[in-house]
Structure formats: C-alpha cells, structure tokens
Amino acid sequence: MSNTPMAANPLTRAVLEIDEYASGLGWDQPARLFALVDTAQLRAQEPALADQLGLAEDASTGLTPIEQDEIGTDRPLDEFLATIAWPEAVAGCALTVERLMLPPSAEAQVPQGLDGEKLAQWVAEHPERQEVRMTVAVLRDGSRESALRLREKDSPTEVLTGPDLVPGLADALAATFEE
C-alpha cells in the first residue's frame, strides 16, 4: 500500500500494511484474520492470485497478507483461534482487533472479584479508557510484530510498533502453528 511507511523487515511492513488497511475501514470493525504468505512464492505458485492481489511482476521479497473469512462473534476469540490450523504454504498469520484499555495508573483502581463481563463493563465506563486497534502478527519461525493505534491519535505517524506489545495475543496466534 502506498502510504505504508518503509520498515526494516518484512514482518513489520506486513503489520503496518494491515494496520493501514484496517484504518481505511474505520473504527468499530470486527476482528480480522490474515494469512501471511511469502510474496515470491505466491507469485511463482499462484500468478493469477498474485495478479488479483495487485502484486507487481517483480515482487520478489516480503510477505503478502491475505484476509481470511470473517471471524464469527458467536464465541470468544481465544476459542476461535484454538480451532485454526494453517497449511504449509502459510508463513505466518496476523490478527487485527479493537479493544478498550486502561493506562497502567488505573490498575490499582480495578475492583476485586469482577468476572469477565462485569470487568469489561467497568473498563467501558472508566473515564480514562482508550480505544485501541491492535494488529499482531507471528511467523512460523517464532518472529513477532505488533502495531497499536489509539482512536484518539488515529494517524499513521502515531502507530506504535514492537514485537512484545501484545504478548498474550501473539502467543495465541503462534499456537495456531503448533501441531
């Protein structure tokens, strides 16, 4: 994508490309799952699909994100991820999801004994809550990358990236490659 900043490695570029795509769809979107495939391998093995995806003839490096079918909302995300297995041609996967989060300073304010639903309601009503879009990707070799975008700072220049920003979600995605 033309507005994706140049990044040091293919996984970071793929995460930023997915973040840009999700940003173009706006907020209040469902979670989206992507397969990450080696671009050169895709071009060689599936030239028609590569053309459909708009990959240049000389595309020989990097990872191409391919959006998967919509994720159902009938069960928790972790349960859904536990049902996924990827074919060998898939080098990695990525997920983009929106959540509410609180700053670390609010941790001491969390009431004790709240279950998941009541805790989510408490967070949703907290005055310091922030809406965040998280894009997390993992590769079969264990590499990880994440991008976080706050709704109140919805700009490509305000996207935070790093391999360990959302470790629990990265672990869940990595588990989709375990046999």
Short mmCIF file of all heavy atoms in Angstrom, two decimals, residues 96-136:
data_model
loop_
_atom_site.label_atom_id
_atom_site.label_comp_id
_atom_site.label_asym_id
_atom_site.label_seq_id
_atom_site.Cartn_x
_atom_site.Cartn_y
_atom_site.Cartn_z
N THR A 96 -6.13 -8.41 13.47
CA THR A 96 -6.38 -7.04 13.91
C THR A 96 -7.68 -7.06 14.69
O THR A 96 -8.66 -7.68 14.28
CB THR A 96 -6.39 -6.04 12.74
OG1 THR A 96 -6.56 -4.73 13.24
CG2 THR A 96 -7.46 -6.34 11.72
N VAL A 97 -7.65 -6.41 15.84
CA VAL A 97 -8.80 -6.42 16.73
C VAL A 97 -8.83 -5.11 17.52
O VAL A 97 -7.79 -4.54 17.83
CB VAL A 97 -8.74 -7.64 17.68
CG1 VAL A 97 -7.54 -7.61 18.59
CG2 VAL A 97 -10.02 -7.81 18.47
N GLU A 98 -10.03 -4.64 17.80
CA GLU A 98 -10.20 -3.41 18.60
C GLU A 98 -10.57 -3.79 20.03
O GLU A 98 -11.36 -4.71 20.25
CB GLU A 98 -11.30 -2.54 18.01
CG GLU A 98 -10.97 -2.02 16.63
CD GLU A 98 -12.12 -1.26 16.00
OE1 GLU A 98 -13.09 -0.89 16.71
OE2 GLU A 98 -12.07 -1.04 14.78
N ARG A 99 -10.01 -3.06 20.97
CA ARG A 99 -10.29 -3.31 22.38
C ARG A 99 -10.26 -1.98 23.13
O ARG A 99 -9.73 -0.99 22.66
CB ARG A 99 -9.25 -4.25 23.00
CG ARG A 99 -9.32 -5.67 22.50
CD ARG A 99 -10.60 -6.35 22.95
NE ARG A 99 -10.65 -7.75 22.62
CZ ARG A 99 -11.37 -8.26 21.63
NH1 ARG A 99 -12.05 -7.47 20.84
NH2 ARG A 99 -11.38 -9.56 21.42
N LEU A 100 -10.82 -2.02 24.35
CA LEU A 100 -10.69 -0.91 25.28
C LEU A 100 -9.53 -1.24 26.21
O LEU A 100 -9.35 -2.40 26.59
CB LEU A 100 -11.96 -0.74 26.11
CG LEU A 100 -13.20 -0.26 25.37
CD1 LEU A 100 -14.39 -0.22 26.32
CD2 LEU A 100 -12.98 1.10 24.74
N MET A 101 -8.76 -0.24 26.56
CA MET A 101 -7.67 -0.45 27.51
C MET A 101 -7.60 0.71 28.47
O MET A 101 -8.12 1.80 28.20
CB MET A 101 -6.34 -0.65 26.80
CG MET A 101 -5.83 0.56 26.09
SD MET A 101 -4.21 0.22 25.42
CE MET A 101 -3.49 1.85 25.53
N LEU A 102 -6.96 0.45 29.57
CA LEU A 102 -6.76 1.47 30.59
C LEU A 102 -5.27 1.73 30.75
O LEU A 102 -4.46 0.83 30.53
CB LEU A 102 -7.33 1.01 31.94
CG LEU A 102 -8.84 0.83 32.01
CD1 LEU A 102 -9.23 0.24 33.35
CD2 LEU A 102 -9.55 2.14 31.77
N PRO A 103 -4.90 2.93 31.16
CA PRO A 103 -3.48 3.20 31.42
C PRO A 103 -3.03 2.41 32.66
O PRO A 103 -3.86 2.04 33.49
CB PRO A 103 -3.44 4.70 31.65
CG PRO A 103 -4.81 5.06 32.10
CD PRO A 103 -5.74 4.11 31.41
N PRO A 104 -1.74 2.16 32.78
CA PRO A 104 -1.24 1.42 33.94
C PRO A 104 -1.65 2.04 35.28
O PRO A 104 -1.86 1.33 36.26
CB PRO A 104 0.29 1.46 33.76
CG PRO A 104 0.48 1.63 32.30
CD PRO A 104 -0.67 2.46 31.82
N SER A 105 -1.81 3.35 35.30
CA SER A 105 -2.20 4.02 36.55
C SER A 105 -3.58 3.59 37.04
O SER A 105 -3.90 3.74 38.22
CB SER A 105 -2.17 5.54 36.36
OG SER A 105 -3.10 5.91 35.34
N ALA A 106 -4.40 3.04 36.17
CA ALA A 106 -5.76 2.63 36.56
C ALA A 106 -5.80 1.22 37.14
O ALA A 106 -6.83 0.82 37.69
CB ALA A 106 -6.69 2.73 35.36
N GLU A 107 -4.71 0.47 37.05
CA GLU A 107 -4.72 -0.91 37.55
C GLU A 107 -5.07 -0.99 39.03
O GLU A 107 -5.78 -1.91 39.45
CB GLU A 107 -3.36 -1.57 37.31
CG GLU A 107 -3.15 -1.96 35.87
CD GLU A 107 -1.82 -2.66 35.65
OE1 GLU A 107 -1.33 -3.33 36.59
OE2 GLU A 107 -1.28 -2.54 34.54
N ALA A 108 -4.61 -0.05 39.82
CA ALA A 108 -4.89 -0.07 41.26
C ALA A 108 -6.36 0.19 41.57
O ALA A 108 -6.83 -0.12 42.66
CB ALA A 108 -4.01 0.95 41.98
N GLN A 109 -7.09 0.75 40.60
CA GLN A 109 -8.50 1.08 40.81
C GLN A 109 -9.45 -0.07 40.50
O GLN A 109 -10.64 0.01 40.80
CB GLN A 109 -8.89 2.27 39.93
CG GLN A 109 -8.07 3.51 40.14
CD GLN A 109 -8.34 4.54 39.05
OE1 GLN A 109 -9.32 4.46 38.32
NE2 GLN A 109 -7.45 5.52 38.95
N VAL A 110 -8.96 -1.14 39.88
CA VAL A 110 -9.83 -2.24 39.46
C VAL A 110 -10.43 -2.92 40.70
O VAL A 110 -9.71 -3.39 41.57
CB VAL A 110 -9.05 -3.27 38.62
CG1 VAL A 110 -9.96 -4.44 38.24
CG2 VAL A 110 -8.46 -2.63 37.39
N PRO A 111 -11.76 -2.95 40.78
CA PRO A 111 -12.41 -3.62 41.91
C PRO A 111 -12.10 -5.12 41.91
O PRO A 111 -12.02 -5.75 40.85
CB PRO A 111 -13.91 -3.38 41.67
CG PRO A 111 -13.99 -2.28 40.68
CD PRO A 111 -12.72 -2.34 39.88
N GLN A 112 -11.94 -5.67 43.06
CA GLN A 112 -11.64 -7.11 43.20
C GLN A 112 -12.90 -7.93 42.92
O GLN A 112 -14.02 -7.49 43.18
CB GLN A 112 -11.13 -7.41 44.61
CG GLN A 112 -9.79 -6.76 44.92
CD GLN A 112 -8.69 -7.29 44.03
OE1 GLN A 112 -8.56 -8.48 43.82
NE2 GLN A 112 -7.87 -6.38 43.50
N GLY A 113 -12.71 -9.12 42.39
CA GLY A 113 -13.80 -10.08 42.25
C GLY A 113 -14.73 -9.87 41.06
O GLY A 113 -15.80 -10.47 41.03
N LEU A 114 -14.36 -9.03 40.11
CA LEU A 114 -15.21 -8.85 38.94
C LEU A 114 -14.95 -9.96 37.93
O LEU A 114 -13.80 -10.26 37.62
CB LEU A 114 -14.95 -7.49 38.27
CG LEU A 114 -15.32 -6.23 39.04
CD1 LEU A 114 -15.02 -5.00 38.20
CD2 LEU A 114 -16.79 -6.25 39.43
N ASP A 115 -16.02 -10.58 37.42
CA ASP A 115 -15.84 -11.58 36.37
C ASP A 115 -15.65 -10.87 35.03
O ASP A 115 -15.68 -9.65 34.95
CB ASP A 115 -17.03 -12.55 36.32
CG ASP A 115 -18.34 -11.88 35.91
OD1 ASP A 115 -18.33 -10.73 35.45
OD2 ASP A 115 -19.39 -12.53 36.05
N GLY A 116 -15.46 -11.63 33.96
CA GLY A 116 -15.14 -11.06 32.66
C GLY A 116 -16.13 -10.02 32.17
O GLY A 116 -15.75 -8.95 31.73
N GLU A 117 -17.42 -10.32 32.25
CA GLU A 117 -18.44 -9.40 31.74
C GLU A 117 -18.52 -8.14 32.58
O GLU A 117 -18.60 -7.02 32.06
CB GLU A 117 -19.80 -10.11 31.72
CG GLU A 117 -20.84 -9.38 30.92
CD GLU A 117 -22.12 -10.20 30.79
OE1 GLU A 117 -22.04 -11.36 30.34
OE2 GLU A 117 -23.18 -9.65 31.14
N LYS A 118 -18.48 -8.28 33.90
CA LYS A 118 -18.55 -7.11 34.78
C LYS A 118 -17.27 -6.28 34.69
O LYS A 118 -17.32 -5.05 34.75
CB LYS A 118 -18.82 -7.53 36.22
CG LYS A 118 -20.23 -8.04 36.43
CD LYS A 118 -20.48 -8.43 37.86
CE LYS A 118 -21.90 -8.95 38.00
NZ LYS A 118 -22.18 -9.43 39.34
N LEU A 119 -16.15 -6.94 34.52
CA LEU A 119 -14.88 -6.22 34.36
C LEU A 119 -14.89 -5.42 33.05
O LEU A 119 -14.49 -4.26 33.03
CB LEU A 119 -13.70 -7.19 34.38
CG LEU A 119 -12.32 -6.56 34.21
CD1 LEU A 119 -12.03 -5.54 35.30
CD2 LEU A 119 -11.25 -7.64 34.18
N ALA A 120 -15.38 -6.04 31.98
CA ALA A 120 -15.47 -5.33 30.70
C ALA A 120 -16.37 -4.11 30.81
O ALA A 120 -16.07 -3.05 30.26
CB ALA A 120 -15.98 -6.28 29.62
N GLN A 121 -17.47 -4.24 31.52
CA GLN A 121 -18.38 -3.11 31.72
C GLN A 121 -17.70 -2.01 32.53
O GLN A 121 -17.81 -0.83 32.22
CB GLN A 121 -19.66 -3.56 32.41
CG GLN A 121 -20.66 -2.44 32.62
CD GLN A 121 -21.94 -2.92 33.32
OE1 GLN A 121 -22.13 -4.11 33.53
NE2 GLN A 121 -22.78 -1.97 33.66
N TRP A 122 -16.96 -2.40 33.57
CA TRP A 122 -16.25 -1.42 34.40
C TRP A 122 -15.22 -0.66 33.55
O TRP A 122 -15.13 0.57 33.63
CB TRP A 122 -15.57 -2.12 35.58
CG TRP A 122 -14.89 -1.18 36.52
CD1 TRP A 122 -15.45 -0.48 37.54
CD2 TRP A 122 -13.51 -0.81 36.49
NE1 TRP A 122 -14.50 0.31 38.15
CE2 TRP A 122 -13.31 0.13 37.53
CE3 TRP A 122 -12.42 -1.18 35.70
CZ2 TRP A 122 -12.07 0.69 37.80
CZ3 TRP A 122 -11.18 -0.61 35.96
CH2 TRP A 122 -11.01 0.32 37.00
N VAL A 123 -14.47 -1.38 32.71
CA VAL A 123 -13.49 -0.73 31.84
C VAL A 123 -14.19 0.21 30.86
O VAL A 123 -13.75 1.34 30.64
CB VAL A 123 -12.63 -1.78 31.09
CG1 VAL A 123 -11.78 -1.11 30.01
CG2 VAL A 123 -11.75 -2.55 32.06
N ALA A 124 -15.30 -0.23 30.27
CA ALA A 124 -16.03 0.58 29.28
C ALA A 124 -16.55 1.88 29.88
O ALA A 124 -16.70 2.88 29.17
CB ALA A 124 -17.19 -0.23 28.69
N GLU A 125 -16.80 1.88 31.17
CA GLU A 125 -17.33 3.08 31.84
C GLU A 125 -16.24 3.93 32.48
O GLU A 125 -16.52 5.03 32.98
CB GLU A 125 -18.36 2.66 32.89
CG GLU A 125 -19.60 2.02 32.28
CD GLU A 125 -20.53 1.41 33.31
OE1 GLU A 125 -20.19 1.36 34.51
OE2 GLU A 125 -21.61 0.94 32.90
N HIS A 126 -15.00 3.44 32.49
CA HIS A 126 -13.91 4.17 33.15
C HIS A 126 -13.57 5.44 32.37
O HIS A 126 -13.45 5.41 31.14
CB HIS A 126 -12.67 3.28 33.26
CG HIS A 126 -11.67 3.78 34.24
ND1 HIS A 126 -10.80 4.82 33.93
CD2 HIS A 126 -11.39 3.43 35.51
CE1 HIS A 126 -10.03 5.05 34.97
NE2 HIS A 126 -10.36 4.22 35.95
N PRO A 127 -13.40 6.57 33.04
CA PRO A 127 -13.13 7.84 32.34
C PRO A 127 -11.77 7.87 31.61
O PRO A 127 -11.59 8.68 30.70
CB PRO A 127 -13.19 8.89 33.44
CG PRO A 127 -12.99 8.15 34.71
CD PRO A 127 -13.52 6.77 34.49
N GLU A 128 -10.82 7.03 31.99
CA GLU A 128 -9.50 7.03 31.35
C GLU A 128 -9.36 5.96 30.26
O GLU A 128 -8.26 5.77 29.73
CB GLU A 128 -8.42 6.82 32.40
CG GLU A 128 -8.30 7.95 33.40
CD GLU A 128 -7.22 7.66 34.43
OE1 GLU A 128 -6.03 7.72 34.05
OE2 GLU A 128 -7.58 7.35 35.58
N ARG A 129 -10.44 5.30 29.91
CA ARG A 129 -10.36 4.23 28.90
C ARG A 129 -9.90 4.81 27.56
O ARG A 129 -10.14 5.97 27.25
CB ARG A 129 -11.70 3.53 28.74
CG ARG A 129 -12.72 4.38 28.03
CD ARG A 129 -14.08 3.74 27.96
NE ARG A 129 -15.04 4.63 27.35
CZ ARG A 129 -15.63 5.65 27.93
NH1 ARG A 129 -15.37 5.92 29.20
NH2 ARG A 129 -16.49 6.41 27.29
N GLN A 130 -9.25 3.96 26.81
CA GLN A 130 -8.78 4.32 25.46
C GLN A 130 -9.22 3.21 24.51
O GLN A 130 -9.13 2.03 24.86
CB GLN A 130 -7.25 4.39 25.43
CG GLN A 130 -6.65 5.40 26.34
CD GLN A 130 -6.34 6.69 25.62
OE1 GLN A 130 -6.27 6.72 24.41
NE2 GLN A 130 -6.15 7.75 26.37
N GLU A 131 -9.66 3.59 23.34
CA GLU A 131 -9.94 2.59 22.31
C GLU A 131 -8.66 2.38 21.52
O GLU A 131 -8.00 3.35 21.13
CB GLU A 131 -11.06 3.06 21.39
CG GLU A 131 -12.42 3.07 22.06
CD GLU A 131 -13.50 3.53 21.11
OE1 GLU A 131 -13.88 2.75 20.22
OE2 GLU A 131 -13.94 4.68 21.27
N VAL A 132 -8.32 1.13 21.29
CA VAL A 132 -7.08 0.80 20.61
C VAL A 132 -7.35 -0.28 19.56
O VAL A 132 -8.17 -1.16 19.77
CB VAL A 132 -5.99 0.35 21.60
CG1 VAL A 132 -6.38 -0.92 22.33
CG2 VAL A 132 -4.65 0.18 20.93
N ARG A 133 -6.68 -0.14 18.43
CA ARG A 133 -6.69 -1.20 17.42
C ARG A 133 -5.33 -1.86 17.49
O ARG A 133 -4.29 -1.19 17.37
CB ARG A 133 -6.94 -0.67 16.02
CG ARG A 133 -6.99 -1.78 14.97
CD ARG A 133 -7.18 -1.28 13.55
NE ARG A 133 -8.39 -0.49 13.42
CZ ARG A 133 -8.42 0.80 13.08
NH1 ARG A 133 -7.29 1.45 12.85
NH2 ARG A 133 -9.55 1.44 12.97
N MET A 134 -5.34 -3.16 17.68
CA MET A 134 -4.10 -3.92 17.77
C MET A 134 -3.99 -4.81 16.55
O MET A 134 -4.94 -5.51 16.20
CB MET A 134 -4.12 -4.82 19.01
CG MET A 134 -4.31 -4.05 20.30
SD MET A 134 -4.47 -5.13 21.74
CE MET A 134 -6.16 -5.68 21.55
N THR A 135 -2.85 -4.76 15.90
CA THR A 135 -2.54 -5.68 14.82
C THR A 135 -1.33 -6.47 15.27
O THR A 135 -0.29 -5.89 15.56
CB THR A 135 -2.24 -4.94 13.50
OG1 THR A 135 -3.37 -4.12 13.17
CG2 THR A 135 -1.97 -5.92 12.38
N VAL A 136 -1.50 -7.78 15.37
CA VAL A 136 -0.43 -8.65 15.88
C VAL A 136 -0.17 -9.73 14.84
O VAL A 136 -1.11 -10.31 14.28
CB VAL A 136 -0.84 -9.29 17.22
CG1 VAL A 136 0.26 -10.20 17.75
CG2 VAL A 136 -1.17 -8.21 18.25
#
